[in-house]
Amino acid sequence: MGYERKMTVGHHKHCEQCHSVHCQVPVQISVSCIIIKCRKNCGATFHMCKQEEHQLLCPNEMVPCINVNYGCPLTMLRHRLAKHLEVCPASVVCCSQEWNRWPVSETDLTFYKNVSQSPETKVNLDVALALRDQELLFRSIKMKNIFPELMLEDPALQDASAAVNNPTEEATCSLDCVEFTENGCTRMEERELSQEDRDTLAKSRDMDGIQNYSSWEKIFNKEMEGCKQTVKNQNKREEKGKAKEELSKEFNIGEYNMYLVHNGAMLINFGQLAACTPREKDFVYGKLEPIEVQTVRTFNVPTSYRAKQSYLKDPSQKVKTSASVDTADLGVSVEDLPKCDEVSATLLLSLEKELKGHLISESVGRDGLYVDIGTQTYNFASAPFERDASLADVIADKPHGLHIHVEAECVTRRHNRISSAFSYMCGHFFRRDECRSHFRNVHSDIQASLSGWFQQRCPLAYLGCAFTKTRFHPAGHQATIKYCQDVSAFVLQPEVPSLLCEGGKTSSSQRNGAHNLDPLSSLPLEILQYIAAYLDSFTLSQLSQASRLMREVCVALLQERGMVSLKWEKKTYSHGGSSWKCRKKVWEFSTLFSSVDKWSFSNTPSMSDHLKTCSFYEREEHTEPVALACLEEVRDKHGEVKYKR
């Protein structure tokens, strides 16, 4: 079969297959057209009927950015699209750098207690970053996952429980033909519906009654199907029993026994003959139900489990075992127990579940018959907790300390990082051309070298000294690295000379006469925009919040230096469905500071100078002679102790 190409709409029959620049075919109506050149001077030559098609490929055609649906408003020549993507404001990248922090052990409480009380806590880079991670950790830990027994009960569940436990009240369903008591369907009164009642029920528009009727109808149908299946199984057993009796009647006892010796295994395997131990009483899984097993301790015994007879030992010969005593067996009421700290207990249980896959004092199944039940009683001053409360909500009114390590781990084999509560991500958004500088300066240069290189702590920190010093600063610039709590990011803070700060101060009369304008705001708008072009993204974001004039200056640089993202919101409809819709476009500057290509040592006193005045550096001077182990002890006749080599 031949293949005939379908002619494009608007193309002539000859022009459809002609690609020659020097086409000499005479122009004929409905056959061909003249040869022209591209109006955008891209150098292309084609038949005039292909001009519209060429506009889809012409490199000199003005087209919108490919991220136009993501907020980029720029239009450009088609051949500049690839270069534009490197600086496109809608080409936003999220930093996915991750690290881990673990709760503080009891042996390091002295140092972390002093660090939490130190006035320079937020100045220290490692402590400031650890406090940010701790805040995220406390928000992510839900109390209902750790202490489900200490949560407030749902009012709806309380009402249902009261209705079930009250013997004087009876729960009645919406159907008139069935009445349920506290014990379930123990008493059921039926009333035969007349044909008129059935017609009325069919024509009724009461949706609640119909929905309840449908739900109960499903339950009754399932029970009916179960009864039918039981009858079928019983009939199969009777047929098997009849077949076995017929087989024993056809042979005598000797021949029957010999037949069983040779073919008994086959009959048992095919279900034609019961084994010595019935299958339903042996260790088999007659029906395999799906069980979600996350760890070894989350395994539940299937309902189809049947223990072997070898497991059913004589109870009188059972070895005596000693039961461990938990807090519930102490004979002390919960009110008399000492109050537990919410943070310490919650982090301990979360860490146990993180590393070992289960909570402390969790019930564990040793085998199919025996289960070790463990309990642990906690007495919190803030209990019971709200149903959706997090650890941050519980300790909102209490003073916060530092409960996680200041040292971070980038690689770990101790847990699964995908679902870990102790894994943290940078999560800041940057333009695509800014991501390289952010990762190199923040994560490689600063964060990876905080412990001892970029930032140095006192050697006596294990005793509780909170002194620290920053050893590096950007080469060629008088600036220091700080951690900004407002944006949760490292920033570059320049050291402004005091003369400039004093020169910027004006008297109250001067401010009132100049409409409260500082010397910088009095400059022309063009000069301000020229100065702002040299600032980094973080400085522009802070400058835009200084005044309305500075905001107008920074707005002019948004397309060149800023980034745009879509703000989504969830919309719920009257019929119960929902969808996400773009509410608006958000323009902002990132938290990137000026790129640092080289670092230099800071001109700060050495750590030895601090040790001279460190309060934790206590010298122990010995004035009494001490015997050395390498010397031989000799006693003279006077009983004095002398030493010789």
Side-chain angles (χ1 to χ4, degrees):
M1 296 179 61
Y3 174 75
E4 183 179 357
R5 181 180 178 182
K6 185 178 180 180
M7 187 175 63
T8 307
V9 178
H11 288 186
H12 299 98
K13 183 177 181 181
H14 166 75
C15 301
E16 176 68 19
Q17 299 179 354
C18 179
H19 304 286
S20 176
V21 179
H22 308 286
C23 180
Q24 301 297 331
V25 176
V27 177
Q28 298 180 10
I29 300 177
S30 72
V31 176
S32 65
C33 59
I34 62 174
I35 298 292
I36 62 173
K37 293 184 178 181
C38 176
R39 296 179 180 179
K40 303 294 183 179
N41 298 325
C42 70
T45 303
F46 45 84
H47 284 277
M48 187 174 60
C49 61
K50 295 183 178 180
Q51 182 176 0
E52 183 178 355
E53 182 183 88
H54 173 72
Q55 293 178 354
L56 303 176
L57 303 174
C58 181
N60 293 338
E61 189 73 25
M62 293 293 295
V63 293
C65 175
I66 62 174
N67 291 326
V68 61
N69 294 329
Y70 297 98
C72 183
L74 302 179
T75 58
M76 65 208 71
L77 300 179
R78 181 175 280 111
H79 70 272
R80 295 181 180 177
L81 285 177
K83 192 65 176 179
H84 165 72
L85 289 179
E86 300 177 1
V87 295
C88 178
S91 184
V92 181
V93 179
C94 178
C95 181
S96 59
Q97 176 69 12
E98 293 185 350
W99 59 89
N100 309 298
R101 292 188 191 273
W102 302 102
V104 178
S105 60
E106 297 181 355
T107 58
D108 299 334
L109 293 180
T110 304
F111 167 71
Y112 287 92
K113 182 179 180 181
N114 294 342
V115 167
S116 302
Q117 298 175 354
S118 176
E120 298 182 355
T121 297
K122 297 182 179 180
V123 179
N124 301 336
L125 301 180
D126 54 353
V127 177
L129 185 59
L131 289 174
R132 174 258 186 187
D133 295 343
Q134 179 177 273
E135 183 180 358
L136 297 178
L137 174 64
F138 288 174
R139 291 179 182 176
S140 62
I141 296 180
K142 299 298 182 181
M143 303 303 291
K144 62 181 179 181
N145 299 330
I146 308 298
F147 306 104
E149 69 280 0
L150 299 179
M151 307 304 295
L152 289 174
E153 296 184 1
D154 192 356
L157 297 178
Q158 291 180 355
D159 298 341
S161 177
V164 173
N165 296 328
N166 191 356
T168 60
E169 298 181 0
E170 296 180 352
T172 307
C173 68
S174 60
L175 295 179
D176 295 337
C177 61
V178 183
E179 184 177 9
F180 295 92
T181 63
E182 58 180 358
N183 296 326
C185 300
T186 54
R187 179 171 61 89
M188 183 170 61
E189 300 177 358
E190 296 184 359
R191 179 173 60 87
E192 184 67 23
L193 296 177
S194 62
Q195 185 63 32
E196 183 179 359
D197 295 337
R198 293 190 180 94
D199 296 340
T200 303
L201 181 61
K203 297 178 181 180
S204 177
R205 296 178 178 264
D206 187 5
M207 298 301 297
D208 296 335
I210 295 177
Q211 292 177 356
N212 294 334
Y213 177 81
S214 302
S215 60
W216 288 112
E217 186 69 17
K218 292 180 181 178
I219 296 176
F220 295 150
N221 290 338
K222 291 181 180 179
E223 293 180 354
M224 182 178 298
E225 293 296 331
C227 295
K228 293 180 180 179
Q229 187 65 28
T230 304
V231 174
K232 292 181 180 180
N233 296 339
Q234 185 66 25
N235 295 335
K236 291 182 179 179
R237 294 193 186 97
E238 294 178 357
E239 293 177 358
K240 293 179 181 178
K242 293 180 180 180
K244 184 182 68 174
E245 292 177 1
E246 294 177 357
L247 184 62
S248 60
K249 292 179 180 179
E250 296 178 359
F251 301 93
N252 54 38
I253 299 300
E255 294 176 349
Y256 178 72
N257 292 336
M258 185 60 64
Y259 177 80
L260 291 181
V261 169
H262 294 283
N263 303 309
M266 179 187 66
L267 295 176
I268 294 175
N269 293 334
F270 284 95
Q272 301 298 325
L273 185 64
C276 297
T277 301
R279 177 170 296 184
E280 61 272 7
K281 296 182 180 180
D282 202 353
F283 174 57
V284 295
Y285 293 102
K287 297 179 180 178
L288 292 178
E289 60 272 10
I291 301 177
E292 181 181 1
V293 180
Q294 298 177 351
T295 63
V296 178
R297 292 174 177 261
T298 60
F299 174 75
N300 295 326
V301 180
T303 56
S304 59
Y305 176 81
R306 298 293 183 272
K308 289 185 178 180
Q309 293 183 356
S310 59
Y311 280 12
L312 305 178
K313 299 179 180 179
D314 188 1
S316 61
Q317 299 179 359
K318 183 179 180 181
V319 179
K320 296 182 178 181
T321 58
S322 59
S324 300
V325 180
D326 59 13
T327 54
D329 300 332
L330 297 178
V332 181
S333 61
V334 178
E335 291 76 11
D336 297 334
L337 292 175
K339 298 294 182 180
C340 300
D341 182 55
E342 292 86 349
V343 177
S344 301
T346 304
L347 292 181
L348 181 62
L349 267 68
S350 300
L351 183 62
E352 183 78 9
K353 186 176 181 180
E354 187 77 24
L355 301 182
K356 297 186 178 180
H358 63 88
L359 296 176
I360 299 177
S361 301
E362 185 181 33
S363 299
V364 180
R366 290 191 297 167
D367 54 20
L369 293 177
Y370 301 99
V371 177
D372 295 335
I373 300 177
T375 59
Q376 182 73 23
T377 305
Y378 297 94
N379 185 16
F380 298 117
S382 56
F385 308 116
E386 297 291 338
R387 297 192 59 83
D388 296 332
S390 62
L391 182 57
D393 300 331
V394 174
I395 62 173
D397 300 333
K398 299 181 180 180
H400 295 178
L402 185 59
H403 301 274
I404 59 177
H405 284 284
V406 294
E407 296 87 4
E409 295 180 359
C410 293
V411 180
T412 181
R413 299 181 181 179
R414 301 172 64 183
H415 72 308
N416 183 8
R417 295 176 58 182
I418 298 178
S419 60
S420 171
F422 298 97
S423 293
Y424 311 92
M425 189 176 69
C426 176
H428 288 288
F429 291 90
F430 302 92
R431 290 158 54 109
R432 188 171 295 275
D433 58 334
E434 298 176 341
C435 189
R436 173 179 174 272
S437 177
H438 161 76
F439 187 87
R440 184 187 61 178
N441 291 147
V442 174
H443 298 301
S444 298
D445 296 342
I446 301 176
Q447 187 175 356
S449 306
L450 282 179
S451 301
W453 181 243
F454 195 92
Q455 178 180 268
Q456 186 180 9
R457 286 196 170 274
C458 177
L460 303 178
Y462 68 96
L463 297 178
C465 182
F467 177 79
T468 182
K469 57 172 292 188
T470 303
R471 305 177 67 234
F472 294 94
H473 73 277
H477 301 278
Q478 296 298 327
T480 56
I481 296 296
K482 300 294 183 181
Y483 188 84
C484 183
Q485 298 287 345
D486 297 334
V487 296
S488 301
F490 291 104
V491 297
L492 193 63
Q493 181 178 353
E495 297 178 0
V496 182
S498 58
L499 295 177
L500 293 179
C501 297
E502 294 177 358
K505 297 180 180 178
T506 58
S507 61
S508 58
S509 59
Q510 292 176 345
R511 289 196 301 266
N512 295 333
H515 303 285
N516 296 332
L517 293 179
D518 56 275
L520 185 62
S521 300
S522 60
L523 296 176
L525 182 61
E526 294 79 5
I527 302 298
L528 293 177
Q529 292 179 351
Y530 180 80
I531 297 175
Y534 287 93
L535 302 179
D536 55 45
S537 298
F538 172 75
T539 307
L540 288 175
S541 65
Q542 301 299 308
L543 182 62
S544 62
Q545 304 176 28
S547 63
R548 294 183 179 180
L549 175 61
M550 295 303 170
R551 189 174 186 85
E552 294 177 0
V553 173
C554 297
V555 165
L557 299 173
L558 274 175
Q559 294 186 3
E560 180 183 354
R561 303 286 301 280
M563 56 184 182
V564 61
S565 58
L566 303 181
K567 184 70 174 181
W568 296 85
E569 66 177 3
K570 188 176 182 180
K571 183 177 181 180
T572 304
Y573 300 97
S574 58
H575 55 75
S578 60
S579 64
W580 289 89
K581 291 192 175 182
C582 179
R583 179 183 177 186
K584 60 180 179 180
K585 299 176 183 179
V586 180
W587 286 87
E588 58 185 343
F589 294 99
S590 66
T591 59
L592 180 75
F593 56 84
S594 299
S595 179
V596 179
D597 299 328
K598 187 178 180 180
W599 300 87
S600 299
F601 284 98
S602 301
N603 188 16
T604 56
S606 62
M607 189 61 66
S608 59
D609 296 337
H610 161 73
L611 291 176
K612 296 178 182 179
T613 59
C614 182
S615 59
F616 293 89
Y617 187 31
E618 298 179 357
R619 295 182 179 181
E620 185 176 357
E621 299 180 357
H622 297 276
T623 58
E624 298 294 332
V626 179
L628 300 179
C630 61
L631 298 180
E632 182 182 358
E633 182 180 299
V634 179
R635 293 181 180 274
D636 60 354
K637 59 182 179 180
H638 300 288
E640 295 178 354
V641 179
K642 294 183 179 180
Y643 305 94
K644 67 177 181 179
R645 294 184 183 275

PDB file of all heavy atoms in Angstrom, residues 88 231 369 426 460 471 476 486 491 575 615:
ATOM      1  N   CYS A  88      16.442  33.716  34.054  1.00  0.00           N
ATOM      2  CA  CYS A  88      14.990  33.899  34.034  1.00  0.00           C
ATOM      3  C   CYS A  88      14.464  34.019  35.464  1.00  0.00           C
ATOM      4  O   CYS A  88      14.785  33.191  36.323  1.00  0.00           O
ATOM      5  CB  CYS A  88      14.318  32.722  33.323  1.00  0.00           C
ATOM      6  SG  CYS A  88      12.512  32.823  33.291  1.00  0.00           S
ATOM      7  N   VAL A 231     -22.385 -22.813  54.046  1.00  0.00           N
ATOM      8  CA  VAL A 231     -23.171 -23.975  53.606  1.00  0.00           C
ATOM      9  C   VAL A 231     -22.419 -24.754  52.530  1.00  0.00           C
ATOM     10  O   VAL A 231     -22.390 -25.990  52.539  1.00  0.00           O
ATOM     11  CB  VAL A 231     -24.547 -23.509  53.097  1.00  0.00           C
ATOM     12  CG1 VAL A 231     -25.309 -24.681  52.490  1.00  0.00           C
ATOM     13  CG2 VAL A 231     -25.345 -22.880  54.232  1.00  0.00           C
ATOM     14  N   LEU A 369       2.275 -17.115  69.896  1.00  0.00           N
ATOM     15  CA  LEU A 369       1.450 -17.332  71.075  1.00  0.00           C
ATOM     16  C   LEU A 369       1.711 -16.333  72.186  1.00  0.00           C
ATOM     17  O   LEU A 369       0.808 -15.979  72.927  1.00  0.00           O
ATOM     18  CB  LEU A 369       1.674 -18.750  71.626  1.00  0.00           C
ATOM     19  CG  LEU A 369       1.177 -19.894  70.734  1.00  0.00           C
ATOM     20  CD1 LEU A 369       1.517 -21.215  71.368  1.00  0.00           C
ATOM     21  CD2 LEU A 369      -0.316 -19.793  70.515  1.00  0.00           C
ATOM     22  N   CYS A 426      17.751  22.684  53.671  1.00  0.00           N
ATOM     23  CA  CYS A 426      17.936  24.136  53.551  1.00  0.00           C
ATOM     24  C   CYS A 426      16.620  24.791  53.141  1.00  0.00           C
ATOM     25  O   CYS A 426      16.119  25.674  53.829  1.00  0.00           O
ATOM     26  CB  CYS A 426      19.049  24.429  52.549  1.00  0.00           C
ATOM     27  SG  CYS A 426      19.310  26.195  52.211  1.00  0.00           S
ATOM     28  N   LEU A 460      37.776  24.245  76.413  1.00  0.00           N
ATOM     29  CA  LEU A 460      37.083  23.823  77.631  1.00  0.00           C
ATOM     30  C   LEU A 460      35.568  23.897  77.466  1.00  0.00           C
ATOM     31  O   LEU A 460      34.843  24.060  78.442  1.00  0.00           O
ATOM     32  CB  LEU A 460      37.518  24.708  78.800  1.00  0.00           C
ATOM     33  CG  LEU A 460      39.022  24.732  79.087  1.00  0.00           C
ATOM     34  CD1 LEU A 460      39.331  25.668  80.231  1.00  0.00           C
ATOM     35  CD2 LEU A 460      39.531  23.333  79.377  1.00  0.00           C
ATOM     36  N   ARG A 471      36.973  32.776  62.600  1.00  0.00           N
ATOM     37  CA  ARG A 471      38.366  32.876  62.179  1.00  0.00           C
ATOM     38  C   ARG A 471      38.550  33.455  60.784  1.00  0.00           C
ATOM     39  O   ARG A 471      39.673  33.783  60.401  1.00  0.00           O
ATOM     40  CB  ARG A 471      39.016  31.488  62.247  1.00  0.00           C
ATOM     41  CG  ARG A 471      38.900  30.831  63.610  1.00  0.00           C
ATOM     42  CD  ARG A 471      39.482  29.433  63.627  1.00  0.00           C
ATOM     43  NE  ARG A 471      40.940  29.475  63.445  1.00  0.00           N
ATOM     44  CZ  ARG A 471      41.587  28.790  62.510  1.00  0.00           C
ATOM     45  NH1 ARG A 471      40.905  28.042  61.649  1.00  0.00           N
ATOM     46  NH2 ARG A 471      42.896  28.865  62.403  1.00  0.00           N
ATOM     47  N   GLY A 476      39.523  41.037  51.114  1.00  0.00           N
ATOM     48  CA  GLY A 476      39.354  42.326  50.457  1.00  0.00           C
ATOM     49  C   GLY A 476      38.152  43.109  50.904  1.00  0.00           C
ATOM     50  O   GLY A 476      37.898  44.197  50.373  1.00  0.00           O
ATOM     51  N   ASP A 486      15.511  36.403  61.047  1.00  0.00           N
ATOM     52  CA  ASP A 486      14.274  36.763  60.343  1.00  0.00           C
ATOM     53  C   ASP A 486      14.081  35.947  59.069  1.00  0.00           C
ATOM     54  O   ASP A 486      12.950  35.576  58.726  1.00  0.00           O
ATOM     55  CB  ASP A 486      14.280  38.254  60.010  1.00  0.00           C
ATOM     56  CG  ASP A 486      14.308  39.109  61.266  1.00  0.00           C
ATOM     57  OD1 ASP A 486      13.848  38.635  62.315  1.00  0.00           O
ATOM     58  OD2 ASP A 486      14.810  40.253  61.197  1.00  0.00           O
ATOM     59  N   VAL A 491      24.118  35.605  56.304  1.00  0.00           N
ATOM     60  CA  VAL A 491      24.203  36.853  55.548  1.00  0.00           C
ATOM     61  C   VAL A 491      25.586  37.458  55.778  1.00  0.00           C
ATOM     62  O   VAL A 491      26.302  37.105  56.719  1.00  0.00           O
ATOM     63  CB  VAL A 491      23.101  37.849  55.968  1.00  0.00           C
ATOM     64  CG1 VAL A 491      21.733  37.288  55.668  1.00  0.00           C
ATOM     65  CG2 VAL A 491      23.234  38.204  57.442  1.00  0.00           C
ATOM     66  N   HIS A 575     -20.283  21.154  46.009  1.00  0.00           N
ATOM     67  CA  HIS A 575     -20.555  19.718  45.892  1.00  0.00           C
ATOM     68  C   HIS A 575     -19.516  18.868  46.608  1.00  0.00           C
ATOM     69  O   HIS A 575     -19.584  17.636  46.554  1.00  0.00           O
ATOM     70  CB  HIS A 575     -20.623  19.314  44.415  1.00  0.00           C
ATOM     71  CG  HIS A 575     -19.399  19.695  43.634  1.00  0.00           C
ATOM     72  ND1 HIS A 575     -18.205  19.021  43.738  1.00  0.00           N
ATOM     73  CD2 HIS A 575     -19.202  20.702  42.753  1.00  0.00           C
ATOM     74  CE1 HIS A 575     -17.308  19.579  42.950  1.00  0.00           C
ATOM     75  NE2 HIS A 575     -17.887  20.619  42.331  1.00  0.00           N
ATOM     76  N   SER A 615      37.083  31.444  82.795  1.00  0.00           N
ATOM     77  CA  SER A 615      36.680  31.059  84.153  1.00  0.00           C
ATOM     78  C   SER A 615      36.668  29.550  84.360  1.00  0.00           C
ATOM     79  O   SER A 615      36.683  29.083  85.502  1.00  0.00           O
ATOM     80  CB  SER A 615      35.293  31.631  84.455  1.00  0.00           C
ATOM     81  OG  SER A 615      34.339  31.157  83.514  1.00  0.00           O
TER      82      SER A 615
END
